[in-house]
């Protein structure tokens, strides 16, 4: 359960009184997520999500995330909208943290995506990229190749606690990726964390996307690689080519991939695996005392990284220019 910061009733009622949302009727900590503290809020005006932004979200980036939601919603991407308070401001402070209220989206996330879900995701991801193409703000990806070594270094000595040989493997992979990381691919705003828990479905249709707090300006094909890792493996972390093909084909129908994006795809898939291996590894070793959170298993992403290391070129993913 991701609640790092507890909010007491009096503070919450005072915070809510700065909004036109009527009285507080219910507030519950949310059992999913690992990054921020999230509460389900029910007020006289309906259902909302209250988010208190935690460790990985820099306060200076919040206007980027909140404006992005407004930009996307205005272009037909269903996503939460930040709620403005009586002073017309969406960002506040609660319990010592930056905090915002966003609108509640109907839908549920699928735990075991099928190929049809992957295809729906591929279309939605391409639409997200196209809708964000004229978003004026920029935010560098702090968790791209230049951020991985500094992330790993402070806890590198504990790698054997998580998996035998992990330290050496990460070191070698960092060297490999730093030497080959593509820097000039078609870029724009990407979601960068579009895992199944951040995509809502109603029936077999996507009803909305959430959790834009890793969104940044980076290569579109890198976002696609993140999704391939998160959606196209089975519960034993084995790659499922038919799901990969469903995702990639649906994406390419909406936004064709350039030859250089295809050529770079195996490297991007390795980088996408290493990125989540590293953040999960760091979180696994550093659960804050008192936090209600279930850290995610870094070894899942070790298995995915190994798979991509075995890919000779993009044909492994069924990609050809
Ligand atoms: N706008 C929304 N409408 C409905 N439910 C939401 C909304 N935003 C968040 N939730 C619920 O809260 C949960 C956690 O939200 P979110 O994914 O933003 O948290 P997080 O800590 O950033 O998670 P993650 O680990 O995916 O980064 C979601 O899985 C979902 O159940
Ligand atoms: N989606 C991430 C957690 C939130 O950033 C993961 O599964 O590691």
């Amino acid at each position: 359960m991701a609640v790092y910061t507890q909010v007491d009733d009096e503070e919450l009622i005072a915070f809510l009184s700065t909004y036109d949302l009527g009285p507080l009727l219910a507030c519950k900590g949310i059992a999913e997520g690992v990054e921020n503290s999230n509460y389900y809020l029910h007020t006289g005006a309906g259902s909302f999500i209250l988010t208190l932004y935690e460790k990985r979200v820099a306060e200076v980036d919040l206007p980027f995330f909140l404006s992005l939601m407004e930009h996307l919603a205005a272009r037909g991407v269903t996503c939460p909208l930040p709620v403005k308070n009586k002073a017309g401001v969406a960002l506040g402070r609660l319990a010592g943290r930056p905090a915002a209220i966003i609108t509640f989206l109907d839908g549920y996330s699928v735990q075991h995506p099928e190929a049809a879900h992957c295809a729906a995701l591929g279309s939605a991801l391409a639409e997200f990229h196209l809708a964000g193409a004229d978003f004026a703000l920029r935010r560098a990806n702090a968790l791209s190749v230049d951020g991985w070594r500094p992330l790993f270094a402070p806890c590198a000595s504990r790698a054997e606690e998580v998996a035998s040989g992990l330290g050496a493997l990460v070191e070698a992979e960092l060297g490999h990726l730093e030497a080959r990381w593509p820097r000039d691919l078609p870029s724009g705003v990407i979601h960068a964390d579009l895992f199944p828990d951040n995509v809502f479905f109603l029936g077999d249709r996507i009803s909305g996307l959430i959790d834009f707090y890793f969104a940044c300006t980076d290569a579109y094909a890198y976002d696609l690689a993140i999704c391939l890792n998160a959606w196209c493996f089975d519960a034993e972390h084995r790659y499922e080519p038919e799901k990969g093909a469903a995702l990639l084909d649906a994406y390419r129908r909406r936004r064709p991939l350039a030859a250089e994006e295809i050529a770079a795809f195996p490297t991007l898939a390795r980088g996408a695996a290493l990125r989540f291996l590293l953040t999960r590894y760091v979180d696994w070793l550093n659960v804050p005392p008192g936090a209600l959170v279930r850290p995610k298993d870094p070894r899942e992403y070790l298995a995915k990284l190994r798979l991509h290391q075995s890919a000779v070129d993009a044909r492994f993913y069924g990609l050809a220019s």
Side-chain angles (χ1 to χ4, degrees):
M1 169 150 175
V3 176
Y4 297 95
T5 305
Q6 301 287 344
V7 179
D8 78 42
D9 296 351
E10 280 178 22
E11 259 183 317
L12 178 57
I13 289 166
F15 182 74
L16 205 55
S17 72
T18 66
Y19 290 80
D20 269 325
L21 294 178
L24 178 64
L25 301 176
C27 175
K28 292 192 172 68
I30 290 185
E32 290 97 11
V34 294
E35 294 293 341
N36 298 308
S37 298
N38 285 295
Y39 291 87
Y40 168 73
L41 270 192
H42 186 47
T43 79
S47 296
F48 301 89
I49 297 289
L50 166 67
T51 302
L52 279 66
Y53 299 99
E54 305 286 350
K55 55 189 177 169
R56 281 213 184 92
V57 177
E59 197 162 351
V60 68
D61 289 331
L62 286 166
F64 176 95
F65 304 134
L66 299 177
S67 309
L68 177 59
M69 291 188 234
E70 286 171 345
H71 177 97
L72 293 170
R75 281 156 186 77
V77 175
T78 308
C79 65
L81 273 174
V83 178
K84 296 200 164 99
N85 66 16
K86 291 173 186 166
V89 179
L91 188 59
R93 277 200 97 73
L94 181 58
R97 309 287 328 159
I101 295 175
I102 58 173
T103 53
F104 184 90
L105 288 189
D106 287 332
Y108 53 87
S109 48
V110 286
Q111 286 176 344
H112 303 292
E114 300 296 334
H117 298 114
C118 296
L121 174 73
S123 303
L125 183 70
E127 278 156 17
F128 172 99
H129 290 162
L130 297 173
D134 60 341
F135 184 54
L137 303 184
R138 295 182 62 81
R139 175 180 177 264
N141 186 358
L143 287 173
S144 186
V145 62
D146 298 331
W148 298 334
R149 200 175 278 280
L151 183 64
F152 183 59
C155 38
S157 61
R158 298 181 63 189
E160 289 301 308
E161 290 175 37
V162 173
S164 172
L166 180 66
L169 181 139
V170 169
E171 277 300 330
E173 190 63 19
L174 284 169
H176 177 93
L177 292 172
E178 285 163 351
R180 291 167 183 79
W181 196 248
R183 306 269 179 181
D184 297 315
L185 296 178
S187 293
V189 66
I190 68 166
H191 185 286
D193 192 24
L194 204 50
F195 279 54
D197 57 346
N198 291 330
V199 178
F200 286 177
F201 282 84
L202 283 173
D204 54 6
R205 294 174 67 98
I206 291 182
S207 59
L209 311 180
I210 64 164
D211 196 0
F212 294 85
Y213 305 116
F214 285 113
C216 56
T217 316
D218 205 342
Y220 294 128
Y222 180 55
D223 219 8
L224 189 55
I226 290 172
C227 288
L228 180 110
N229 282 341
W231 288 73
C232 305
F233 285 74
D234 70 13
E236 275 75 49
H237 318 320
R238 288 174 302 218
Y239 182 56
E240 297 190 287
E242 73 287 0
K243 293 185 186 170
L247 170 73
L248 297 169
D249 291 350
Y251 182 91
R252 295 175 80 184
R253 273 196 289 278
R254 292 285 206 288
R255 183 186 165 268
L257 292 174
E260 64 267 28
E261 292 177 290
I262 292 175
F265 198 79
T267 306
L268 297 172
R270 285 173 75 150
L274 184 67
R275 177 261 186 253
F276 287 95
L277 166 60
L278 291 179
T279 47
R280 286 180 174 204
Y281 168 71
V282 170
D283 291 351
W284 190 262
L285 297 178
N286 298 293
V287 175
L292 300 167
V293 66
R294 194 180 309 122
K296 299 193 174 176
D297 191 347
R299 287 164 296 204
E300 176 184 339
Y301 270 78
L302 179 57
K304 293 176 180 180
L305 174 56
R306 287 196 167 119
L307 180 278
H308 296 308
Q309 286 174 332
S310 74
V312 174
D313 61 30
R315 283 172 297 183
F316 178 83
Y317 308 95
L319 288 173
S321 353

